[in-house]
Structure formats: structure tokens, C-alpha cells
Amino acid sequence: MRQFRIGERTCDEGAPELQSALEQAFERKQRPLCLCREPPTTMYITRNDGQFLVKRMPLTGRDHDPSCPSYEPPYELSGLGPLIGNAIQIDDATGTAILKLDFSLTKRGSRSAPASPSETSDTVRNETKKLSLRAVLHYLWDAAELTEWTSLWAGKRGWGKVRASVMNAAREMTVRGGPLSDILFVPEVFHADDKAAIAVRRSRALSGAQAPGNGPQKLMLLVGEVKEFPEARSGRKVVIKHLPDFPLMLEEAAWRRLNKRYDAELELWDANEETHVVAIATFGISNAGVPAINEIALMVVTENWIPFESAHELQLLSRLAGMRRKSVKGLRFNLSRDQPVVCVTLPERRPSPVAMYIVPAGADEDYDRMLAEMIDARPEMTPWVWRTADGGMPLMP
């Protein structure tokens, strides 16, 4: 069982006095320490549905013992590695992650900027120095611990849990000198009998996205599950679940670019009704009160909200979903599809954690060379490799 040091007190994770200790520390802005290793690792406190929870600080998962629930695989195995110290910088004093973005949070004029660049532009331009829109979504998901899964959580991760986790993660990040949470809108769970009150809260939250009388318009970020992309008189609408009365407009040219850039994600979503598509978008609200998307990126996730990018990954995640031991999904961030990343890590496996890789059928010699280098760089982890061109999934480790 985990132990935390809070000020001068040491509390077991399941101790009845832990909640009162966390509440006092939360009010004092005091950070608890996880005692899984020496020296202890600094953590932070969040409040969710009246409960106080201890969460790991950004990029500190590797500092925990592999047996600790807060342990996270080395970020060098995923697309996060090249971004650390460049696009993502950690303030040592506060633990806040400072994010550098390669997309705009303002708009001039009446027309939108290109809604989702090509994959080449998205990954070659500013690959390590700034975060693409997709990379911001990946980082939010990773920091919110939504890449982690164990069968013990089955049935306990709905949109309300996802929303709370993402918003809590955003509070530990800053963009352009201000908290990311101030410009991030994640819709609350919609209840028809609370429709009017929800609309009031939404209007208050989106006040920063309203068009000004003159000058550039400030944009906000939206993260939400896509319900559908119905046709509009001009372009398309993006209907977000839990926002049934608040469709966002998308120009026809942007819709075509979106289909080209995210054809694989849309195909995977269409092929399996249990999956979800999560959108991240910059948007503003016109003087007429119409919300319009400026840029947008998509991510397809399993029924448990774990991101994936191929049918083979979905097959592996479905197999792992029934395991009681924790699995952690690796994400691509800014990296292109022709670069290897760890698919899943099993941190609790003994005698050593397992790094699971899926090699696509079209992988070339450069891909194999980069994969071998990744595996050799982490001798403390046991590699598991599925070469899809060779046939079915290998035996589980």
C-alpha cells in the first residue's frame, strides 16, 4: 500500500484520516510526497466529486518505483521523448508544464485558418520545439492518466470521469503565460432536465471566445467526443456529445482536409461502434453567436477511452482490457507513422516491465533500425514485438 508524507504526517493510502489531511494540504497548496522510493517523489492534490485525490506531477512517473501505481514508463519510448525540454518545459518550483504551441490562439478576419495540416507539415515542422494540436491532446490524455488501464476500472470510466481528469491535468499546464484550464472547454455530462442551467454555465465558460468589436479574436480550445458530422448549408457541422444544442461550424475546405488527414481514424471509428472519436479544436464564437472551428485534430479511442491508431492496436488493447495488471498506452504526439513508438507498457510485469511494440506490415529497414535502437536503449525492459506481416498476435508475455 502506498504511503504519503503530508507535511510532518505520514499516511497510508487507505487510512481513514487521509481525506482530512489531503483537504488541509489542498487548502494550503501543499504538495504530498510519495514514499515508494528514496528520495520521495513530489505529487499534487486534485478534488473530484468531493473526494481529494493524489496525482503524479507531470513527467515524474519514471521517478516512482515500478510497483507504485504512479509509475509511468520512460517517456523516451513514446513521442513524448523529443518534446521534453523543448515544446514541454517543467517549472521546477511549481511542477507546472509550460507548453509551446505551433498553432494560433487568435484569428484575424472572417475566414478560418487551415483546419488540420497535412501529416508531413504536422510532424516535420517544429517536431520538437512546439506542440501540434494533436500533440496537445495526447499530452492532456497522458497527464490525465487516461492512457492507463486495468480490468478493475471496468464500468467506472465514463465521460464525467474523463472530463474531470482532463481538466485537472490542464490546471497543471500553462500556455502563452496563462493556465491552459482558463481557455480549455470540456463539456459537462448533459442531462435534459438540467438543460437550462448547463447552457448558463456554458455561456459563462465560453465568454472568452466571443468575437470582439474590432481587432483579432481570441480562440479557445475544445476537447469533446464527436457524435456526428452532419451537412450544413455551407460546409459541415461538428456535433459534440453532451453539446446537442451547440454544433460547431466547419468550412467545406476544412472538412475535406480533415477527411484526408484523419482518414484512418475515421475509418477505424466507422468500423467499430464501441469506439469513440475525440476532437480537439480551436474555436471562436461570431458576433451572431455561431461557434466556428478554426483548427481541429482527431483521436480514436476504445470503449475504455484508450487511444489507438490501427486495428492491430485495438486487438492488443482488447486482449489487455481483461487483465488486472495495469497497462499503459504509448502515444505518438508529433511523430509520424513511419517512426516506431512503444504501443503498450506493462509496468507491473515481473521480473521486469514489458515494452510491447507492433510493427506494421509496410515497415522498412529504417523503421527496423530505429526500433532496434529503442529496444537496446532500455535493457531494463523486456521487449515484446508483434510483426503483423508474420501473422497473428504472439503469445502474451
Side-chain angles (χ1 to χ4, degrees):
M1 179 177 292
R2 276 193 298 184
Q3 288 188 319
F4 303 113
R5 184 180 301 151
I6 307 171
E8 300 299 320
R9 301 174 62 180
T10 298
C11 297
D12 291 338
E13 187 172 26
E17 67 270 18
L18 178 62
Q19 278 296 303
S20 61
L22 291 178
E23 182 176 7
Q24 294 175 26
F26 184 81
E27 293 173 351
R28 298 170 184 166
K29 298 184 178 180
Q30 188 176 36
R31 297 194 183 276
L33 300 174
C34 180
L35 303 181
C36 67
R37 268 186 176 175
E38 187 61 41
T41 305
T42 304
M43 306 188 76
Y44 72 96
I45 304 168
T46 67
R47 180 166 54 191
N48 184 19
D49 293 334
Q51 289 287 108
F52 292 90
L53 306 173
V54 182
K55 295 285 188 178
R56 63 169 175 253
M57 296 284 286
L59 307 181
T60 63
R62 59 194 291 167
D63 299 330
H64 292 265
D65 187 86
S67 64
C68 178
S70 293
Y71 173 79
E72 189 177 36
Y75 51 71
E76 293 90 347
L77 296 178
S78 73
L80 184 58
L83 303 173
I84 303 306
N86 295 297
I88 301 172
Q89 299 177 0
I90 303 301
D91 186 317
D92 293 333
T94 64
T96 301
I98 304 165
L99 310 185
K100 297 181 180 180
L101 312 179
D102 80 348
F103 55 90
S104 179
L105 289 174
T106 59
K107 187 181 76 168
R108 294 180 179 274
S110 59
R111 296 190 62 80
S112 298
S116 177
S118 67
E119 181 140 13
T120 300
S121 173
D122 192 38
T123 56
V124 174
R125 181 196 61 191
N126 295 326
E127 181 177 280
T128 63
K129 294 183 179 180
K130 293 185 178 181
L131 292 165
S132 67
L133 195 57
R134 181 186 71 174
V136 171
L137 180 58
H138 282 189
Y139 189 57
L140 280 168
W141 229 249
D142 183 77
E145 301 178 18
L146 294 170
T147 56
E148 303 177 7
W149 184 255
T150 163
S151 63
L152 299 174
W153 299 339
K156 300 177 182 178
R157 183 182 281 180
W159 181 251
K161 172 68 173 176
V162 170
R163 177 183 187 271
S165 298
V166 169
M167 291 302 299
N168 284 332
R171 293 186 183 99
E172 301 298 317
M173 304 175 190
T174 64
V175 293
R176 311 277 163 84
L180 176 59
S181 55
D182 285 358
I183 62 166
L184 177 64
F185 178 67
V186 185
E188 63 181 282
V189 177
F190 182 79
H191 298 287
D193 55 355
D194 198 27
K195 180 178 179 179
I198 289 174
V200 170
R201 291 192 291 270
R202 180 180 67 216
S203 180
R204 188 182 305 122
L206 298 183
S207 59
Q210 297 288 337
N214 50 59
Q217 180 179 9
K218 291 183 179 180
L219 302 176
M220 291 185 66
L221 272 176
L222 165 76
V223 171
E225 181 188 357
V226 175
K227 181 180 180 181
E228 58 181 341
F229 297 100
E231 290 187 5
R233 290 182 177 178
S234 174
R236 293 273 176 159
K237 297 177 183 178
V238 181
V239 179
I240 301 295
K241 285 190 177 180
H242 305 293
L243 285 177
D245 56 345
F246 194 78
L248 292 95
M249 304 305 297
L250 187 65
E251 293 180 355
E252 184 61 37
W255 168 245
R256 289 195 298 269
R257 288 192 295 269
L258 184 70
N259 269 273
K260 182 177 180 180
R261 170 62 180 82
Y262 291 99
D263 59 330
E265 285 80 359
L266 293 170
E267 182 180 3
L268 290 165
W269 179 44
D270 192 49
N272 191 319
E273 293 187 358
E274 293 183 344
T275 61
H276 315 273
V277 160
V278 177
I280 182 169
T282 58
F283 74 101
I285 301 175
S286 71
N287 288 320
V290 177
I293 288 173
N294 201 51
E295 298 186 55
I296 184 170
L298 302 179
M299 177 178 73
V300 63
V301 298
T302 70
E303 61 181 318
N304 298 319
W305 303 93
I306 308 296
F308 69 99
E309 58 182 40
S310 72
H312 294 103
E313 285 197 358
L314 179 59
Q315 186 179 345
L316 176 59
L317 292 172
S318 297
R319 180 77 62 87
L320 296 174
M323 289 176 40
R324 292 174 65 89
R325 290 186 181 273
K326 186 170 71 173
S327 60
V328 183
K329 181 69 176 67
L331 297 178
R332 189 165 295 280
F333 293 84
N334 278 1
L335 294 183
S336 62
R337 291 181 182 270
D338 58 5
Q339 294 178 269
V341 295
V342 68
C343 179
V344 175
T345 303
L346 306 179
E348 299 173 357
R349 283 294 182 184
R350 296 291 182 267
S352 61
V354 175
M356 310 183 80
Y357 302 90
I358 296 179
V359 180
D364 58 15
E365 292 182 0
D366 286 340
Y367 187 102
D368 286 337
R369 175 184 52 78
M370 289 187 287
L371 176 60
E373 291 173 354
M374 289 180 66
I375 292 174
D376 291 344
R378 288 292 164 184
E380 77 278 12
M381 305 192 77
T382 301
W384 177 95
V385 181
W386 177 12
R387 296 186 176 275
T388 59
D390 295 340
M393 187 189 304
L395 294 175
M396 287 288 102

